Amino acid sequence: MKQYGAEFFGTFWLVLGGCGSAVLAAAFPGVGIGLHGVSLAFGLTVLTMAYGIGHISGCHLNPAVSVGLWAGGRFPASKLLPYIVAQVLGGIAAGGVLYLIASGKAGFDVSAGFASNGYGEHSPGGYSFQAALITEVVMTAFFLIVILGATDKRAPQGFAPIAIGLCLTLIHLISIPVTNTSVNPARSTGVAIYVGGWATAQLWLFWVAPIAGGVLGAVIYKFIGGEEK
């Protein structure tokens, strides 16, 4: 239960910190942090929580990561569903807290997006469904390659959180214009349910594509990173 609790609170921090930076600080007049700041915020949530709870739960914070680690032989199937449930509940709880904070400002309108992920007319840059699908699969695959490589027993010890946090920052720098960057079904669900409508209608893609990417990344790392026999 401590592991599941760690995943709940860790994912809560990721959604509150990452999506919160997008909703509250990205366009703040005069000093808005913009795309670069939001990208860094997501990376910092993972970096800080990796040091905070990595020794408790492994700090997955992401169903696609849990599935990818299972596919890569690093995580038992028996814990997969409880981890995913804890992550999704943590994301939804964070979305609720963020909604309460954001709605304290006059003129707040959740229909503006609330940091939800989308494609087509709901893509920040107007990118198509196909572009969104490819982006989410590829970005999540490389996220898993970095995670598996950085946590490999042959890798330098103690630096994995930095590599993983910077990887997530880079992913956001690349893909925010395309999908607002998911690579994490719990992150997507945590805000989409408060928007409803188009956000929940498109949410399926941000489950399917990241999970497919997570499995793909695990397969690739098994091929390139497997120890010689």
Side-chain angles (χ1 to χ4, degrees):
M1 291 304 297
K2 289 182 178 180
Q3 292 179 329
Y4 306 146
E7 286 298 303
F8 175 92
F9 288 109
T11 310
F12 181 101
W13 184 236
L14 182 147
V15 173
L16 184 63
C19 295
S21 70
V23 172
L24 304 174
F28 192 79
V31 292
I33 61 175
L35 181 153
H36 302 92
V38 173
S39 300
L40 182 60
F42 271 101
L44 288 174
T45 63
V46 171
L47 190 156
T48 52
M49 270 298 156
Y51 282 116
I53 66 168
H55 57 287
I56 302 171
S57 69
C59 192
H60 298 187
L61 318 185
N62 182 339
V65 169
S66 295
V67 172
L69 291 174
W70 164 77
R74 301 273 193 92
F75 189 65
S78 60
K79 292 183 179 180
L80 196 54
L81 182 59
Y83 260 57
I84 292 173
V85 170
Q87 292 156 1
V88 172
L89 291 177
I92 292 172
V97 170
L98 179 57
Y99 180 86
L100 291 174
I101 295 170
S103 60
K105 180 180 178 181
F108 170 70
D109 183 5
V110 72
S111 66
F114 199 51
S116 293
N117 302 113
Y119 54 85
E121 64 179 310
H122 301 294
S123 159
Y127 286 84
S128 68
F129 167 83
Q130 181 180 359
L133 174 64
I134 294 170
T135 297
E136 290 292 326
V137 170
V138 172
M139 294 299 156
T140 313
F142 275 88
F143 193 33
L144 261 294
I145 291 170
V146 170
I147 290 170
L148 289 165
T151 57
D152 195 301
K153 64 179 183 292
R154 296 167 293 173
Q157 300 300 299
F159 296 100
I162 298 172
I164 295 167
L166 288 176
C167 180
L168 190 59
T169 299
L170 175 59
I171 286 169
H172 279 77
L173 287 171
I174 297 167
S175 59
I176 283 178
V178 184
T179 62
N180 225 13
T181 309
S182 171
V183 301
N184 184 340
R187 167 263 187 268
S188 298
T189 304
V191 290
I193 65 168
Y194 296 95
V195 178
W198 68 266
T200 51
Q202 295 189 353
L203 181 60
W204 69 272
L205 176 67
F206 302 104
W207 274 86
V208 173
I211 288 175
V215 173
L216 177 61
V219 170
I220 293 171
Y221 190 76
K222 274 188 172 182
F223 175 71
I224 65 172
E227 294 188 52
E228 298 290 341
K229 294 182 181 181

